[in-house]
Amino acid sequence: MGLRERILADTKEAMKAKEAARLSTLRLISAAIKDREIAARTEGGEEAGLSDADLTAILSKMVKQRQESAKAYEEGGRLELAEREQDEIKVIQSYLPRQLDAEETRAAIDKAIADLGAESIRDMGRVMAELRTRHAGQMDFGAVGPVVKDRLMK
């Protein structure tokens, strides 16, 4: 079962179980996917739909948006809204691949650098592209970038 089918099945299940918060988040996910499909059709006339990698990118973006919102709510003293954002993050993350821990991330960076034969900071773009291909949705590339840069400057 693909990611899209899983989301659809879970939406139906949440409706039957009357899980309002989960259902709301799943509907937000479906809306974001439909928006992206519409944008893809108008851009290039794609009829095939989105791949699981595209869906993972959409979900990762949604998590990042909610993390930023939760932080803003906490800073503004709106803890109930921050908690709602955190609940949405948990639901969305259940559809993302498992995040690599620090050791696995370091090993993935080392392997990408070794496989590409990267030796200097000029190779950073190639290394980051390779990591995105191999580990889409499994690591925070904003945090990985400085680590890759540090490794290539040695």
Side-chain angles (χ1 to χ4, degrees):
M1 179 182 333
L3 189 54
R4 167 176 278 135
E5 292 81 18
R6 219 174 101 207
I7 292 168
L8 186 60
D10 288 351
T11 302
K12 290 177 185 176
E13 189 178 302
M15 274 188 238
K16 289 177 185 174
K18 297 186 182 346
E19 298 172 330
R22 182 172 171 78
L23 179 61
S24 173
T25 304
L26 289 167
R27 285 181 172 161
L28 287 171
I29 292 170
S30 295
I33 292 169
K34 285 180 183 162
D35 285 346
R36 182 65 188 108
E37 284 177 333
I38 290 168
R41 266 186 266 146
T42 58
E43 288 170 3
E46 270 184 46
E47 282 297 321
L50 301 174
S51 68
D52 277 357
D54 295 330
L55 298 179
T56 299
I58 291 168
L59 294 174
S60 295
K61 183 177 177 182
M62 290 178 75
V63 167
K64 185 171 260 186
Q65 289 170 337
R66 275 150 188 79
Q67 288 170 338
E68 291 169 2
S69 296
K71 183 179 177 187
Y73 286 140
E74 286 174 4
E75 289 171 358
R78 303 289 307 268
L79 299 180
E80 69 284 350
L81 294 175
E83 187 176 320
R84 188 179 321 159
E85 294 291 329
Q86 292 297 336
D87 292 342
E88 287 184 7
I89 288 170
K90 289 176 190 165
V91 173
I92 296 167
Q93 283 180 331
S94 70
Y95 297 98
L96 289 171
R98 182 185 69 80
Q99 295 292 301
L100 299 179
D101 64 25
E103 187 59 38
E104 290 170 326
T105 300
R106 221 176 354 269
I109 291 169
D110 291 343
K111 181 166 176 30
I113 289 171
D115 290 351
L116 294 172
E119 298 174 354
S120 72
I121 195 70
R122 286 181 281 166
D123 298 318
M124 185 169 171
R126 288 181 32 230
V127 173
M128 291 298 288
E130 184 69 20
L131 288 171
R132 277 189 173 83
T133 302
R134 291 182 188 177
H135 303 287
Q138 293 181 313
M139 57 176 72
D140 177 9
F141 292 102
V144 168
V147 176
V148 171
K149 185 176 182 179
D150 183 53
R151 287 277 289 117
L152 291 174
M153 292 182 80
K154 289 183 179 177

